[in-house]
């Protein structure tokens, strides 16, 4: 066996020979001996590349996209007046205007600890991660790998003896890079779709927060109503006990019948029954409040709620046009539409070619001793283009599916718009009607108070008895119970109106897409 110089006696080692022969077999340009003149006319290669790419683009132009597009139309409400004044919208912490520090503390605690709200926020974090993934695909990807494998080469495969039938060590260390060029906007559309989903979940998290604040306020007002009703009922119970004693005395004196005595006893039992029912409702209301606060039921056992005394709302005569931008749920639905439309663009881009640039560099050897030497270098670079030609209708089906999703998102948005308008209209109607009811009930109480005062004066003048005074007082207490119900209903409508008008939601400024993906909103 001769060495490369042709001198006998200087035999090459088997591993070196195997490496050179295998290198020659796996690199035909080296084994065939391509003339250097063939590498010179690079302009011909460029022309050929341009021609191939033009042919691919021409084939791409034959992709059939006709007849597939979203068909739904976004609703533009005609009931919204173009009224630039936004004073009707509540402040972000609207409940603080009620000047109830206890309510303020409860809302703050609920926002910090409510588990349902935390679950919504985790979905926002997940959507943010999807944005980061979509954004990363627009940039080159670099990977590194190294491998060393002891392998027996088949004697009946592509490797002739002495390589075939021998044992070699295949060693590779390589750094590779790949970049998919976004020629037709597929990656950009995917990123915009992910950003739309992120901003939708961001708005939904805010919607959940404003709903939670309104729910705490409404639960607080409900508890206040029950507690005030219980206080009035306790007065009615005391009056009932006093009335029953008076009837017993009259029956004993022969001034009244057993029927009147039974009536008084029955009324007393009914009052005690109502008192027990109210106690149950108060306990359940406190437990519901505890859940909103993210606490155990017993933590609100001592909560003493109060109805607001200074309710005032700037009620608009017409719905301002910016209503839809102040509703977090409508904003979220709008971003869902934007995301779905970007998904349609992404699906359309699949009909066109994909252009990838790849490059690699490293070392490859059949022996460990030659692995990291200069002549074991291995590198290359080049483009890769792929084009769908026949897919049995898969791409059209995917585009149709994305278009249907966009239609569904648009219809969901339209329904959210109508729901928002209805909620505001309902609250306004209830608020206006309730003001009349409150005023009339206050007039009723004034008359009932006058009747009680008159009966009390007659009693002290000896013109009436104590039973008549108790009856007048009970009538007044019942009217106060009705007033408490109306006042609590007013507070509930007020909180619902603040929620319907957006609950203090303010859309965050649109940050740069890279900042979204990096979590720096």
């Amino acid at each position: 066996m001769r060495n490369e110089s042709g001198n006998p006696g200087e035999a090459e080692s088997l591993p070196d020979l195997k490496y050179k022969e295998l290198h020659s077999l796996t690199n035909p340009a080296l084994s065939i001996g391509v003339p250097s003149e063939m590498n010179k006319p690079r302009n011909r290669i460029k022309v050929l590349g341009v021609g191939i790419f033009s042919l691919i683009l021409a084939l791409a132009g034959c992709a059939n996209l006709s007849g597939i597009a979203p068909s739904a139309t976004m609703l533009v409400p005609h009931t919204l007046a173009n009224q630039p004044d936004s004073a009707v919208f509540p402040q972000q912490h609207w409940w603080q205007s009620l000047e109830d520090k206890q309510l303020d503390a409860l809302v703050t605690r609920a926002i910090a600890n409510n588990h349902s709200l935390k679950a919504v926020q985790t979905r926002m974090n997940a959507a943010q991660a999807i944005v980061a993934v979509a954004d990363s695909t627009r940039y080159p990807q670099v990977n590194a790998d190294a491998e060393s494998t002891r392998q027996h080469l088949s004697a009946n495969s592509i490797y002739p003896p002495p390589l075939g039938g021998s044992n070699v060590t295949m060693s590779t260390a390589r750094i590779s890079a790949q970049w998919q060029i976004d020629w037709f906007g597929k990656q950009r559309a995917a990123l915009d779709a992910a950003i739309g989903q992120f901003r939708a979940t961001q708005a939904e998290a805010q919607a959940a927060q404003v709903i939670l604040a309104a729910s705490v306020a409404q639960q607080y007002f409900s508890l206040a109503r029950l507690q005030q009703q219980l206080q009035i009922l306790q007065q009615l119970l005391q009056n009932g006990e006093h009335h029953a004693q008076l009837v017993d005395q009259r029956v004993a004196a022969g001034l009244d019948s057993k029927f009147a005595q039974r009536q008084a006893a029955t009324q007393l039992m009914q009052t005690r029954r109502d008192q027990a029912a109210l106690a149950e409702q108060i306990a359940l209301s406190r437990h519901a409040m505890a859940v909103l606060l993210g606490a155990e039921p017993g933590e609100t056992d001592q909560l003493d709620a109060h109805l607001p005394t200074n309710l005032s709302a700037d009620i608009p005569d017409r719905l301002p046009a910016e209503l839809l931008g102040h509703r977090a749920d409508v904003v979220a639905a709008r971003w869902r539409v934007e995301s779905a439309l970007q998904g349609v663009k992404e699906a359309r881009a699949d009909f066109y070619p994909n252009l990838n640039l790849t490059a690699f560099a490293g070392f490859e050897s059949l022996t460990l001793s030659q692995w990291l030497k200069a002549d074991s270098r291995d590198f290359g670079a080049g483009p890769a283009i792929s084009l769908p030609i026949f897919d049995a209708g898969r791409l059209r089906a995917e585009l149709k599916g994305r278009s249907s999703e966009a239609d569904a998102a648009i219809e969901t948005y339209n329904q959210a718009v109508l729901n928002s308008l209805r909620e505001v209209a309902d609250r306004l109607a209830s608020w206006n009607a309730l003001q009349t009811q409150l005023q009339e009930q206050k007039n009723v109480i004034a008359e009932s108070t006058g009747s009680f005062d008159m009966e009390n004066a007659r009693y002290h003048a000896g013109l009436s008895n104590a039973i008549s005074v108790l009856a007048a007082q009970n009538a007044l207490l019942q009217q106060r119970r009705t007033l408490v119900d109306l006042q609590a209903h007013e507070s509930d409508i007020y909180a619902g109106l603040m929620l319907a008008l957006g609950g203090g939601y303010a859309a965050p400024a649109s940050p740069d897409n890279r900042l979204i993906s990096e979590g720096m909103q």
Side-chain angles (χ1 to χ4, degrees), residues 242-243 246 459 464-472:
H242 189 195
H243 178 258
L246 291 175
Y459 170 72
S464 181
N465 57 31
I467 292 180
S468 298
V469 174
L470 288 176

Side-chain angles (χ1 to χ4, degrees), residues 38 52 77 79 112 118 157 171 188 190 199 216 245-246 276 302 360 377 389 409 413 427 434 478:
M38 295 183 63
I52 294 175
T79 56
K118 290 181 178 180
S157 185
S171 300
R188 180 67 209 189
R199 287 176 173 161
V216 171
Q245 292 174 0
L246 291 175
Q302 304 303 319
F360 65 90
R377 289 176 298 172
I389 297 177
Y413 169 81
R427 299 301 185 275
L434 191 59
Q478 291 293 351

Side-chain angles (χ1 to χ4, degrees), residues 73-254:
T73 303
M74 296 186 67
L75 180 65
V76 180
H78 298 290
T79 56
L80 291 179
N82 188 14
Q83 181 179 339
D85 183 13
S86 60
V88 299
F89 296 110
Q91 299 297 319
Q92 188 170 12
H93 303 290
W94 56 266
W95 57 88
Q96 293 180 349
S97 64
L98 304 179
E99 299 179 355
D100 188 334
K101 294 183 178 180
Q102 183 174 235
L103 174 60
D104 186 22
L106 290 172
V107 173
T108 301
R109 181 178 176 184
I111 292 175
N113 300 327
N114 184 269
H115 297 291
S116 297
L117 183 59
K118 290 181 178 180
V120 175
Q121 291 170 342
T122 59
R123 290 196 290 271
M124 183 180 68
N125 295 335
Q128 185 179 23
I130 293 175
V131 173
V133 172
D135 187 48
S136 66
T137 61
R138 301 191 301 145
Y139 301 94
Q141 309 294 310
V142 180
N143 300 289
D145 63 89
E147 181 181 4
S148 183
T149 304
R150 186 66 177 173
Q151 181 178 353
H152 177 79
L153 299 180
S154 171
N156 300 315
S157 185
I158 62 174
Y159 306 112
L163 285 176
S166 64
N167 296 322
V168 298
T169 301
M170 303 286 288
S171 300
T172 303
R174 179 175 296 170
I175 294 178
S176 59
Q178 183 176 6
W179 184 19
Q180 183 176 358
I181 299 178
D182 194 19
W183 196 279
F184 296 99
K186 175 182 173 63
Q187 295 172 0
R188 180 67 209 189
L191 175 61
D192 289 340
I195 291 174
Q197 291 293 336
F198 166 74
R199 287 176 173 161
T201 56
Q202 190 179 41
E204 287 170 347
Q206 291 296 317
Q209 181 170 314
V210 297
I211 291 173
L212 176 61
S215 298
V216 171
Q218 290 173 323
Q219 190 64 47
Y220 182 80
F221 300 148
S222 176
L223 178 59
R225 180 188 72 83
L226 294 172
Q227 290 176 334
Q228 290 193 23
Q229 290 281 11
L230 184 60
Q231 292 175 2
I232 296 175
L233 204 60
Q234 287 172 346
Q235 295 179 16
L236 288 171
L237 181 61
Q238 293 175 0
N239 289 352
E241 291 173 347
H242 189 195
H243 178 258
Q245 292 174 0
L246 291 175
V247 172
D248 289 342
Q249 292 173 4
R250 288 176 60 83
V251 171

Side-chain angles (χ1 to χ4, degrees), residues 29 32-45:
I32 297 175
V34 179
S36 60
E37 289 79 2
M38 295 183 63
N39 295 324
K40 292 181 180 180
R42 296 183 178 178
N43 57 335
R44 297 180 182 177
I45 298 177

